[in-house]
Structure formats: C-alpha cells, structure tokens
mmCIF file of all heavy atoms in Angstrom:
data_model
loop_
_atom_site.group_PDB
_atom_site.id
_atom_site.type_symbol
_atom_site.label_atom_id
_atom_site.label_comp_id
_atom_site.label_asym_id
_atom_site.label_seq_id
_atom_site.Cartn_x
_atom_site.Cartn_y
_atom_site.Cartn_z
ATOM 1 N N VAL A 1 -6.461 3.253 -16.177
ATOM 2 C CA VAL A 1 -6.848 3.773 -17.472
ATOM 3 C C VAL A 1 -8.306 4.057 -17.508
ATOM 4 O O VAL A 1 -9.100 3.144 -17.577
ATOM 5 C CB VAL A 1 -6.414 2.763 -18.603
ATOM 6 C CG1 VAL A 1 -6.794 3.309 -20.017
ATOM 7 C CG2 VAL A 1 -4.950 2.347 -18.545
ATOM 8 N N PRO A 2 -8.692 5.333 -17.456
ATOM 9 C CA PRO A 2 -10.105 5.613 -17.551
ATOM 10 C C PRO A 2 -10.556 5.252 -18.990
ATOM 11 O O PRO A 2 -9.920 5.626 -19.947
ATOM 12 C CB PRO A 2 -10.213 7.078 -17.312
ATOM 13 C CG PRO A 2 -8.834 7.608 -17.129
ATOM 14 C CD PRO A 2 -7.880 6.456 -17.249
ATOM 15 N N SER A 3 -11.694 4.531 -19.127
ATOM 16 C CA SER A 3 -12.074 4.121 -20.513
ATOM 17 C C SER A 3 -13.512 4.443 -20.777
ATOM 18 O O SER A 3 -13.996 4.234 -21.908
ATOM 19 C CB SER A 3 -11.840 2.596 -20.686
ATOM 20 O OG SER A 3 -12.571 1.912 -19.725
ATOM 21 N N VAL A 4 -14.327 4.898 -19.776
ATOM 22 C CA VAL A 4 -15.746 5.080 -20.008
ATOM 23 C C VAL A 4 -16.104 6.464 -19.482
ATOM 24 O O VAL A 4 -15.671 6.907 -18.458
ATOM 25 C CB VAL A 4 -16.576 4.005 -19.223
ATOM 26 C CG1 VAL A 4 -18.005 4.198 -19.430
ATOM 27 C CG2 VAL A 4 -16.136 2.607 -19.619
ATOM 28 N N THR A 5 -16.904 7.153 -20.283
ATOM 29 C CA THR A 5 -17.358 8.530 -19.863
ATOM 30 C C THR A 5 -18.262 8.386 -18.609
ATOM 31 O O THR A 5 -19.073 7.484 -18.470
ATOM 32 C CB THR A 5 -18.174 9.174 -21.069
ATOM 33 O OG1 THR A 5 -17.337 9.207 -22.185
ATOM 34 C CG2 THR A 5 -18.637 10.517 -20.685
ATOM 35 N N ASP A 6 -18.066 9.330 -17.731
ATOM 36 C CA ASP A 6 -18.900 9.403 -16.545
ATOM 37 C C ASP A 6 -18.844 8.134 -15.681
ATOM 38 O O ASP A 6 -19.879 7.687 -15.185
ATOM 39 C CB ASP A 6 -20.420 9.813 -16.830
ATOM 40 C CG ASP A 6 -20.480 11.184 -17.395
ATOM 41 O OD1 ASP A 6 -19.700 12.102 -16.994
ATOM 42 O OD2 ASP A 6 -21.439 11.479 -18.163
ATOM 43 N N ALA A 7 -17.627 7.644 -15.451
ATOM 44 C CA ALA A 7 -17.484 6.440 -14.717
ATOM 45 C C ALA A 7 -16.400 6.582 -13.684
ATOM 46 O O ALA A 7 -15.558 7.457 -13.790
ATOM 47 C CB ALA A 7 -17.068 5.257 -15.646
ATOM 48 N N TRP A 8 -16.432 5.776 -12.694
ATOM 49 C CA TRP A 8 -15.397 5.771 -11.613
ATOM 50 C C TRP A 8 -14.128 5.280 -12.240
ATOM 51 O O TRP A 8 -14.069 4.418 -13.199
ATOM 52 C CB TRP A 8 -15.730 4.794 -10.551
ATOM 53 C CG TRP A 8 -16.834 5.339 -9.645
ATOM 54 C CD1 TRP A 8 -18.178 4.937 -9.736
ATOM 55 C CD2 TRP A 8 -16.734 6.227 -8.526
ATOM 56 N NE1 TRP A 8 -18.863 5.590 -8.734
ATOM 57 C CE2 TRP A 8 -18.041 6.424 -8.001
ATOM 58 C CE3 TRP A 8 -15.690 6.890 -7.971
ATOM 59 C CZ2 TRP A 8 -18.307 7.245 -6.956
ATOM 60 C CZ3 TRP A 8 -15.971 7.749 -6.943
ATOM 61 C CH2 TRP A 8 -17.280 7.873 -6.430
ATOM 62 N N VAL A 9 -12.998 5.768 -11.722
ATOM 63 C CA VAL A 9 -11.680 5.229 -12.083
ATOM 64 C C VAL A 9 -11.040 4.733 -10.809
ATOM 65 O O VAL A 9 -10.999 5.337 -9.807
ATOM 66 C CB VAL A 9 -10.744 6.402 -12.616
ATOM 67 C CG1 VAL A 9 -9.332 5.860 -12.904
ATOM 68 C CG2 VAL A 9 -11.300 6.997 -13.897
ATOM 69 N N GLU A 10 -10.692 3.416 -10.884
ATOM 70 C CA GLU A 10 -10.063 2.728 -9.651
ATOM 71 C C GLU A 10 -8.624 2.546 -9.950
ATOM 72 O O GLU A 10 -8.174 2.123 -10.911
ATOM 73 C CB GLU A 10 -10.703 1.368 -9.472
ATOM 74 C CG GLU A 10 -10.236 0.748 -8.233
ATOM 75 C CD GLU A 10 -11.029 -0.586 -7.965
ATOM 76 O OE1 GLU A 10 -12.234 -0.640 -8.156
ATOM 77 O OE2 GLU A 10 -10.344 -1.586 -7.602
ATOM 78 N N ILE A 11 -7.801 3.060 -8.971
ATOM 79 C CA ILE A 11 -6.364 2.951 -9.049
ATOM 80 C C ILE A 11 -5.812 2.301 -7.734
ATOM 81 O O ILE A 11 -6.034 2.904 -6.691
ATOM 82 C CB ILE A 11 -5.671 4.316 -9.258
ATOM 83 C CG1 ILE A 11 -6.209 4.977 -10.592
ATOM 84 C CG2 ILE A 11 -4.181 4.206 -9.294
ATOM 85 C CD1 ILE A 11 -5.694 6.343 -10.756
ATOM 86 N N ALA A 12 -5.265 1.130 -7.859
ATOM 87 C CA ALA A 12 -4.694 0.485 -6.686
ATOM 88 C C ALA A 12 -3.336 1.026 -6.432
ATOM 89 O O ALA A 12 -2.515 1.037 -7.285
ATOM 90 C CB ALA A 12 -4.672 -1.083 -6.948
ATOM 91 N N LEU A 13 -3.124 1.412 -5.189
ATOM 92 C CA LEU A 13 -1.791 1.992 -4.846
ATOM 93 C C LEU A 13 -0.908 0.848 -4.392
ATOM 94 O O LEU A 13 -1.342 -0.112 -3.819
ATOM 95 C CB LEU A 13 -1.943 2.973 -3.699
ATOM 96 C CG LEU A 13 -2.844 4.202 -4.001
ATOM 97 C CD1 LEU A 13 -2.903 5.087 -2.742
ATOM 98 C CD2 LEU A 13 -2.467 4.928 -5.245
ATOM 99 N N GLY A 14 0.409 1.038 -4.586
ATOM 100 C CA GLY A 14 1.376 0.067 -4.206
ATOM 101 C C GLY A 14 1.585 -0.072 -2.652
ATOM 102 O O GLY A 14 1.173 0.909 -1.966
ATOM 103 N N THR A 15 2.161 -1.114 -2.238
ATOM 104 C CA THR A 15 2.384 -1.350 -0.850
ATOM 105 C C THR A 15 3.140 -0.181 -0.246
ATOM 106 O O THR A 15 4.183 0.252 -0.860
ATOM 107 C CB THR A 15 3.135 -2.637 -0.647
ATOM 108 O OG1 THR A 15 2.357 -3.699 -1.175
ATOM 109 C CG2 THR A 15 3.373 -2.930 0.795
ATOM 110 N N GLY A 16 2.800 0.316 0.883
ATOM 111 C CA GLY A 16 3.570 1.391 1.570
ATOM 112 C C GLY A 16 3.092 2.787 1.132
ATOM 113 O O GLY A 16 3.630 3.738 1.632
ATOM 114 N N ALA A 17 2.169 2.868 0.239
ATOM 115 C CA ALA A 17 1.681 4.273 -0.159
ATOM 116 C C ALA A 17 1.093 5.034 0.997
ATOM 117 O O ALA A 17 1.182 6.163 1.175
ATOM 118 C CB ALA A 17 0.686 4.162 -1.276
ATOM 119 N N ILE A 18 0.386 4.269 1.761
ATOM 120 C CA ILE A 18 -0.257 4.810 3.008
ATOM 121 C C ILE A 18 0.331 3.940 4.183
ATOM 122 O O ILE A 18 -0.022 2.771 4.242
ATOM 123 C CB ILE A 18 -1.772 4.833 3.025
ATOM 124 C CG1 ILE A 18 -2.259 5.684 1.870
ATOM 125 C CG2 ILE A 18 -2.355 5.248 4.282
ATOM 126 C CD1 ILE A 18 -3.710 5.625 1.683
ATOM 127 N N SER A 19 1.087 4.546 5.032
ATOM 128 C CA SER A 19 1.712 3.717 6.107
ATOM 129 C C SER A 19 1.176 3.895 7.476
ATOM 130 O O SER A 19 1.480 3.076 8.392
ATOM 131 C CB SER A 19 3.215 3.999 6.109
ATOM 132 O OG SER A 19 3.434 5.371 6.321
ATOM 133 N N ASP A 20 0.465 4.962 7.706
ATOM 134 C CA ASP A 20 -0.059 5.235 9.083
ATOM 135 C C ASP A 20 -1.106 6.299 9.007
ATOM 136 O O ASP A 20 -1.387 6.899 7.933
ATOM 137 C CB ASP A 20 1.111 5.714 9.948
ATOM 138 C CG ASP A 20 0.893 5.513 11.469
ATOM 139 O OD1 ASP A 20 -0.231 5.059 11.820
ATOM 140 O OD2 ASP A 20 1.817 5.689 12.157
ATOM 141 N N ASN A 21 -1.765 6.580 10.154
ATOM 142 C CA ASN A 21 -2.706 7.676 10.218
ATOM 143 C C ASN A 21 -2.006 9.001 9.813
ATOM 144 O O ASN A 21 -0.804 9.149 10.056
ATOM 145 C CB ASN A 21 -3.244 7.841 11.606
ATOM 146 C CG ASN A 21 -4.124 6.730 11.979
ATOM 147 O OD1 ASN A 21 -4.847 6.106 11.186
ATOM 148 N ND2 ASN A 21 -4.258 6.497 13.284
ATOM 149 N N GLY A 22 -2.690 9.881 9.109
ATOM 150 C CA GLY A 22 -2.098 11.165 8.810
ATOM 151 C C GLY A 22 -2.806 11.866 7.617
ATOM 152 O O GLY A 22 -3.839 11.307 7.145
ATOM 153 N N THR A 23 -2.168 12.824 7.069
ATOM 154 C CA THR A 23 -2.676 13.566 5.915
ATOM 155 C C THR A 23 -1.734 13.196 4.740
ATOM 156 O O THR A 23 -0.506 13.308 4.847
ATOM 157 C CB THR A 23 -2.654 15.079 6.181
ATOM 158 O OG1 THR A 23 -3.441 15.322 7.301
ATOM 159 C CG2 THR A 23 -3.182 15.855 4.922
ATOM 160 N N TYR A 24 -2.420 12.885 3.633
ATOM 161 C CA TYR A 24 -1.704 12.479 2.406
ATOM 162 C C TYR A 24 -2.141 13.299 1.219
ATOM 163 O O TYR A 24 -3.346 13.662 1.186
ATOM 164 C CB TYR A 24 -1.864 10.995 2.117
ATOM 165 C CG TYR A 24 -1.251 10.099 3.138
ATOM 166 C CD1 TYR A 24 -1.947 9.741 4.282
ATOM 167 C CD2 TYR A 24 0.019 9.634 2.995
ATOM 168 C CE1 TYR A 24 -1.371 8.890 5.262
ATOM 169 C CE2 TYR A 24 0.701 8.787 3.892
ATOM 170 C CZ TYR A 24 -0.045 8.446 5.078
ATOM 171 O OH TYR A 24 0.532 7.662 6.019
ATOM 172 N N SER A 25 -1.288 13.586 0.265
ATOM 173 C CA SER A 25 -1.663 14.222 -0.971
ATOM 174 C C SER A 25 -1.354 13.309 -2.134
ATOM 175 O O SER A 25 -0.287 12.740 -2.129
ATOM 176 C CB SER A 25 -0.899 15.548 -1.182
ATOM 177 O OG SER A 25 -1.251 16.460 -0.140
ATOM 178 N N PHE A 26 -2.320 13.180 -3.068
ATOM 179 C CA PHE A 26 -2.126 12.344 -4.275
ATOM 180 C C PHE A 26 -2.455 13.223 -5.419
ATOM 181 O O PHE A 26 -3.354 14.030 -5.371
ATOM 182 C CB PHE A 26 -3.055 11.105 -4.197
ATOM 183 C CG PHE A 26 -2.786 10.210 -3.070
ATOM 184 C CD1 PHE A 26 -3.508 10.264 -1.900
ATOM 185 C CD2 PHE A 26 -1.738 9.259 -3.173
ATOM 186 C CE1 PHE A 26 -3.291 9.412 -0.827
ATOM 187 C CE2 PHE A 26 -1.485 8.447 -2.137
ATOM 188 C CZ PHE A 26 -2.264 8.432 -0.984
ATOM 189 N N GLY A 27 -1.868 12.956 -6.540
ATOM 190 C CA GLY A 27 -2.126 13.628 -7.782
ATOM 191 C C GLY A 27 -2.265 12.700 -8.919
ATOM 192 O O GLY A 27 -1.802 11.533 -8.831
ATOM 193 N N LEU A 28 -2.955 13.143 -9.949
ATOM 194 C CA LEU A 28 -3.092 12.346 -11.143
ATOM 195 C C LEU A 28 -2.296 13.045 -12.248
ATOM 196 O O LEU A 28 -2.456 14.157 -12.476
ATOM 197 C CB LEU A 28 -4.547 12.273 -11.570
ATOM 198 C CG LEU A 28 -5.547 11.655 -10.557
ATOM 199 C CD1 LEU A 28 -6.939 11.763 -11.088
ATOM 200 C CD2 LEU A 28 -5.206 10.198 -10.363
#
C-alpha cells in the first residue's frame, strides 16, 4: 500500500515467485 508521496513502495513476493535464473515480468 503506497502511502507517502515520492517514496519507495516495497512489495514482498510470495515463495516461488522467482524460482531460478531467467527473465521475469511483473505488473502492478
């Protein structure tokens, strides 16, 4: 939940979201 103007947003991904070397695409 972004709550502050001009601030970083941190989103922890669930287990298994990145499983190995490679190219991944994520969207918001």
Side-chain angles (χ1 to χ4, degrees):
V1 180
S3 59
V4 180
T5 302
D6 293 329
W8 289 97
V9 175
E10 183 173 320
I11 301 173
L13 302 181
T15 303
I18 298 175
S19 58
D20 204 351
N21 291 333
T23 302
Y24 293 86
S25 295
F26 297 97
L28 299 174

